[in-house]
Amino acid sequence: MQRKRLEIEGIVQGVGFRPFVYQLACRVGVAGWVRNDSRGVTIEVEGEGAILAEFLRQLQEQLPPLASISRLSEQPLPPCGERDFHIHHSASDSAALAQIAPDSHVCADCLRELFDPADRRYRYPFINCTNCGPRYTIVTAIPYDRPFTTMADFPMCPACQGEYADPGSRRFHAQPNACPECGPQLALRDSQGQLLAAEVPLAATTDLLAAGQIVAIKGLGGYHLAVDAANDTALAELRRRKGRDEKPFALMAFDLPMVARFAEIDAIEQRLLESPERPIVLLRRRADAPLSPLVAPHNRYVGVMLPYTPLHYLLLQQFPALVMTSANLSDEPIAFEDADATGRLAQIADAFLSHNRRIQTRTDDSIGRVMAGRALLLRRSRGFVPRAVALPKEQPAVLALGAELKSTFCLTRGDRAFLSQHIGDLKNQQVYASFAEGIEHLQGLLQLQPQIVAHDLHPDYLSSRYAGELTKLPRVAVQHHHAHLVSCMAENCVTAPALGVIFDGLGYGSDGRLWGGEFLLGDARGFQRLGHLAYLPMPGGDAATREPWRMAVAALVHAYGDDLPQLPWLTALPAADLRLLRQMIAKGLNSPLTSSCGRLFDAVAALAGVRQKVSYEGQAALELEIVLEGGPEAGEYLFELQTQDDLLVVDPAPMIRALVADLQGGGAPGLLSARFHNGLARVIGQVCDRLRQQQGIAAVALSGGVFQNRYLTERTLEILGKLNFSVYTHSLVPPNDGGLALGQAVIAGAAGVQA
Ligand SMILES: [Zn+2]
Ligand SMILES: [Zn+2]
Ligand SMILES: [Zn+2]
């Protein structure tokens, strides 16, 4: 006989881990006990050596779907003659180091019951079990137990209590366990928040949607605004009320065959759609899709998700697809509290389908797309948060505050990084409040006191100012593109120095200029700038970000000097506007210089006639990528490489002149776009090749928002692959500023170790 103590860390609480261990122990025939504790789960098992080995093997191979083990340690103990196996209650004494699970889509077993007329939870919109349901969004404190969730409001009925206490039940210790007798209930309210006397709120809601009304629907992490996706009038009204002209809306469809009616789906996209996290997946829209064109104007892609709550399944039975967009006015955070929702959305929603289970933590839907054969998250939020990212090594506890526009923050503990849910644009006051609350809440759940604060080098970012208020902690200011580089390296568990191709919108450079087309060499301890795109003026500053035509004029002046070529859109501009802009450029008035690749995309999009003004961030670059599809094009516009002050400078002047020549020869936007993308991928390869000769380093990390572009990323990977580089790209951490805090955290951690 032997006895062993097993200490397990990872996602092992709130995911059915203890009942799984109990059932396994009974099946295999070992005695002992299991309990949750502050670090995860502790098990003691007693039995014959071979049986213990079998228990250990199956423990690791047959984990419940939401569980994962990040560390397992074994320790021999003297046998004590125990005969049975028990589940002990949570030890709530010490600091909670256990990981809380993310929210999960409703599982197949629960779905079967949902649609089974004989089941006591038939059509009950809050059905869940140990393997599925809300988690992070309902947790108020640790340890993860019902009194510390928003389900504390609902005492269980005897039947639910019986399941909860029965180790043989699939609802054993399912903290959100509920049924129609004892659990949350739906309620339908009008636009003023007055309760509507609907006998079946769900049926009344589907009637409203079928009649073209806009209904705010409470979900897992917040409210959605729902409308029938085929109804032009309803969509036009939603865009008008929400103040959103062109930014695409996401869809929800009942199942895969339904999704296939709107969009093309390959095997990897299918896996991403069906994953337990249920993100919105960007898919190629079918030409014959039965959708209103107002779902995603000027866009060949459509963002689709499958239902993830039981309520969604019940709603989607009635519609081919619903638009399900975050319930907010543009730039505001998604509404998640009932009173706030009815207040803020009164002018947008015709009705509210709400319920009385509180949402503790607001989380938006995650967004992903498939690139180079794997998933890439563009927004990491519901379903993924608060799952930890494994770091290559242990480091001091850091709070990293991210950037400003696609704000997230990151907390580290040991060798784990906890990247927060998407928070949004901090310039909005409510978003900023949500940022501060989110930091407090996650610190509480992780029982963490950060030792170091990391923030962006930009002194005016609100996240940097927040750091400035934390006066008791040492602060580390991190250069924006260095953080992107290390974010990508950390996600790939790389510590050795690598080259970084960091292309994004704008980030504050070490020289005080606006960087964004950078070739770096570095690791967590530091970086060197080895090259960049040539500086171009941004006439009008921020206005140039909203009006790509300004960047196009700057690019033309850069390539041609005073004699600008004749282009239709240029001659169509009011002469006074153009004259003023050229004066600003010539005199350097309100025209900060930038090496941004995002601004170069803007210039090309405007030159190619794709877009002169944008209504949301990244729109011009996105549309430039979209127009190029439709056939292989091998032609490329060449850039020129120069050396200035020991830096390689990539000059777009010859590229711009070649593009203008094509344009004057009647080249279509799709052709111009393809040749631009091809030339950019080519010059990335050329620069990396030169830097490898110079530095002797053959590892390249690709990061920054520009690498959300599928065509550019795949083409660059192909070229760098042929040149025998090892290339690292993002996957579950976004390449845009949503992933920045991870890099900041690792850099500050390394600084803390050195200090
Ligand atoms: Zn379930
Ligand atoms: Zn019940
Ligand atoms: Zn950035």
Side-chain angles (χ1 to χ4, degrees):
M1 294 300 275
Q2 296 179 9
R3 189 175 179 93
K4 276 183 181 171
R5 167 177 280 224
L6 309 172
E7 284 173 349
I8 298 175
E9 289 175 44
I11 297 181
V12 288
Q13 294 192 6
V15 292
F17 196 80
R18 285 178 301 166
F20 155 72
V21 171
Y22 174 87
Q23 283 156 16
L24 175 63
C26 297
R27 199 166 64 236
V28 179
V30 296
W33 51 261
V34 56
R35 73 154 189 243
N36 282 350
D37 60 28
S38 59
R39 300 189 68 86
V41 163
T42 301
I43 305 172
E44 285 193 12
V45 279
E46 186 164 332
E48 286 172 27
I51 293 176
L52 288 191
E54 182 59 19
F55 173 83
L56 257 170
R57 189 182 65 77
Q58 291 196 28
L59 178 77
Q60 292 169 81
E61 282 177 5
Q62 298 172 8
L63 287 179
L66 300 183
S68 69
I69 293 180
S70 57
R71 199 168 286 140
L72 190 160
S73 67
E74 282 183 50
Q75 198 189 325
L77 295 173
C80 59
E82 204 170 355
R83 295 277 183 82
D84 302 319
F85 198 90
H86 300 280
I87 295 177
H88 287 178
H89 283 287
S90 295
S92 55
D93 46 343
S94 46
L97 298 172
Q99 296 181 20
I100 290 163
D103 302 276
S104 160
H105 78 305
V106 53
C107 75
D109 290 333
C110 288
L111 268 185
R112 244 187 316 275
E113 291 179 5
L114 183 68
F115 291 117
D116 174 4
D119 194 272
R120 73 185 186 94
R121 292 187 180 85
Y122 176 58
R123 296 185 67 81
Y124 179 57
F126 304 94
I127 189 168
N128 67 80
C129 72
T130 29
N131 289 331
C132 78
R135 295 288 185 276
Y136 180 57
T137 51
I138 61 164
V139 171
T140 54
I142 42 105
Y144 177 67
D145 254 333
R146 191 166 175 115
F148 299 117
T149 69
T150 59
M151 286 301 291
D153 305 349
F154 303 94
M156 276 183 278
C157 70
C160 287
Q161 184 64 48
E163 294 165 334
Y164 185 86
D166 172 11
S169 162
R170 51 182 208 90
R171 297 200 164 87
F172 175 68
H173 279 210
Q175 307 304 345
N177 189 26
C179 77
E181 294 304 313
C182 65
Q185 300 293 337
L186 292 177
L188 186 64
R189 292 166 198 278
D190 68 12
S191 61
Q192 299 312 307
Q194 297 303 312
L195 206 58
L196 290 173
E199 205 172 313
V200 186
L202 194 75
T205 303
T206 50
D207 289 348
L208 290 175
L209 289 168
Q213 303 264 291
I214 300 168
V215 184
I217 296 173
K218 188 174 177 181
L220 261 185
Y223 278 80
H224 283 115
L225 290 165
V227 292
D228 177 358
N231 187 327
D232 287 340
T233 322
L235 272 158
E237 189 58 18
L238 177 60
R239 287 203 175 274
R240 189 186 68 75
R241 292 191 198 167
K242 207 168 139 69
R244 179 149 144 171
D245 295 338
E246 291 172 310
K247 198 172 177 184
F249 287 138
L251 296 179
M252 186 180 275
F254 186 72
D255 57 10
L256 274 180
M258 202 55 94
V259 177
R261 288 175 53 190
F262 309 118
E264 292 161 22
I265 320 169
D266 69 22
I268 304 167
E269 287 163 342
Q270 177 178 336
R271 276 217 300 279
L272 188 57
L273 276 167
E274 292 185 310
S275 65
E277 296 88 1
R278 293 284 158 102
I280 296 167
V281 181
L282 298 189
L283 301 169
R284 267 166 237 262
R285 175 157 53 171
R286 293 172 65 108
D288 58 353
L291 292 175
S292 163
L294 293 173
V295 169
H298 315 292
N299 201 325
R300 282 195 216 167
Y301 283 81
V302 59
V304 187
M305 60 188 147
L306 291 174
Y308 51 88
T309 69
L311 176 60
H312 293 152
Y313 274 98
L314 295 169
L315 277 167
L316 265 294
Q317 272 189 315
Q318 310 296 324
F319 295 90
L322 287 175
V323 158
M324 291 285 261
T325 184
S326 301
N328 54 8
L329 273 165
S330 50
D331 299 333
E332 283 185 357
I334 181 172
F336 74 113
E337 289 164 320
D338 302 328
D340 176 51
T342 40
R344 275 205 281 145
L345 304 174
Q347 307 304 317
I348 304 180
D350 296 309
F352 292 83
L353 181 62
S354 183
H355 60 73
N356 52 351
R357 186 177 75 202
R358 285 176 294 127
I359 297 172
Q360 175 68 30
T361 299
R362 143 185 22 230
T363 47
D364 290 80
D365 292 317
S366 295
I367 305 175
R369 74 188 296 191
V370 169
M371 206 180 273
R374 63 177 190 156
L376 176 73
L377 288 186
L378 309 179
R379 180 203 280 168
R380 183 182 180 279
S381 206
R382 193 236 339 124
F384 294 92
V385 174
R387 195 179 299 152
V389 178
L391 299 176
K393 50 187 170 199
E394 299 237 347
Q395 64 166 59
V398 175
L399 165 62
L401 297 166
E404 185 165 84
L405 193 57
K406 289 186 162 74
S407 169
T408 62
F409 62 88
C410 182
L411 286 161
T412 71
R413 188 178 64 198
D415 61 358
R416 291 288 181 274
F418 299 86
L419 192 57
S420 79
Q421 67 274 19
H422 164 84
I423 292 177
D425 183 354
L426 295 183
K427 285 195 288 295
N428 178 287
Q429 242 176 25
Q430 288 167 312
V431 174
Y432 187 80
S434 162
F435 173 73
E437 285 160 19
I439 292 171
E440 289 290 315
H441 181 59
L442 193 56
Q443 265 179 215
L445 292 186
L446 297 169
Q447 298 269 290
L448 196 74
Q449 288 304 323
Q451 296 161 260
I452 304 171
V453 176
H455 62 90
D456 195 273
L457 195 57
H458 200 309
D460 297 331
Y461 276 176
L462 290 170
S463 52
S464 303
R465 293 198 192 159
Y466 182 91
E469 289 163 18
L470 304 172
T471 47
K472 292 201 184 88
L473 293 173
R475 294 192 292 275
V476 178
V478 181
Q479 199 281 321
H480 190 91
H481 303 92
H482 182 207
H484 274 304
L485 167 64
V486 175
S487 171
C488 183
M489 291 169 68
E491 183 180 4
N492 290 283
C493 261
V494 174
T495 52
L499 298 172
V501 181
I502 316 297
F503 284 4
D504 70 351
L506 299 170
Y508 197 82
S510 312
D511 59 0
R513 283 187 176 159
L514 296 169
W515 293 8
E518 309 306 309
F519 296 91
L520 309 180
L521 168 63
D523 59 17
R525 292 162 305 172
F527 80 102
Q528 240 185 302
R529 189 190 201 197
L530 301 177
H532 61 86
L533 296 182
Y535 284 114
L536 290 179
M538 277 174 57
D542 282 347
T545 303
R546 293 187 298 270
E547 299 180 6
W549 70 270
R550 291 170 180 257
M551 287 311 301
V553 173
L556 288 174
V557 171
H558 175 76
Y560 290 91
D562 284 341
D563 287 324
L564 297 195
Q566 291 291 311
L567 295 172
W569 67 267
L570 200 58
T571 34
L573 286 176
D577 284 5
L578 184 59
R579 199 165 48 241
L580 182 67
L581 199 80
R582 293 187 65 175
Q583 277 172 4
M584 287 167 73
I585 295 171
K587 296 184 179 156
L589 289 174
N590 191 18
S591 299
L593 293 179
T594 182
S595 55
S596 164
C597 188
R599 293 298 83 78
L600 184 63
F601 267 86
D602 286 353
V604 171
L607 279 170
V610 171
R611 182 150 290 275
Q612 312 301 332
K613 289 186 183 176
V614 299
S615 64
Y616 60 92
E617 192 237 358
Q619 185 180 14
L622 179 72
E623 291 180 6
L624 190 64
E625 179 193 354
I626 288 167
V627 294
L628 73 69
E629 292 181 280
E633 165 57 38
E636 52 195 36
Y637 300 139
L638 297 181
F639 291 73
E640 191 182 321
L641 283 183
Q642 301 158 355
T643 308
Q644 291 170 12
D645 308 327
D646 287 336
L647 290 179
L648 268 180
V649 175
V650 177
D651 190 339
M655 179 279 285
I656 289 157
R657 288 191 290 264
L659 185 144
V660 166
D662 272 351
L663 196 58
Q664 289 170 330
L671 177 90
L672 308 184
S673 172
R675 290 181 173 174
F676 164 67
H677 278 81
N678 293 346
L680 192 58
R682 171 74 55 204
V683 80
I684 291 173
Q686 288 167 343
V687 172
C688 289
D689 203 28
R690 284 237 210 146
L691 297 178
R692 173 168 58 185
Q693 288 167 30
Q694 228 179 65
Q695 307 288 337
I697 286 182
V700 180
L702 305 180
S703 189
V706 169
F707 289 104
Q708 299 173 96
N709 180 313
R710 175 172 173 166
Y711 185 88
L712 179 71
T713 305
E714 291 180 348
R715 187 105 182 166
T716 304
L717 283 172
E718 192 185 314
I719 289 173
L720 292 175
K722 281 189 190 146
L723 292 168
N724 292 316
F725 281 97
S726 336
V727 188
Y728 303 109
T729 56
H730 285 277
S731 176
L732 298 183
V733 174
N736 57 43
D737 285 1
L740 200 75
L742 174 65
Q744 294 175 338
V746 173
I747 291 165
V753 169
Q754 281 167 344

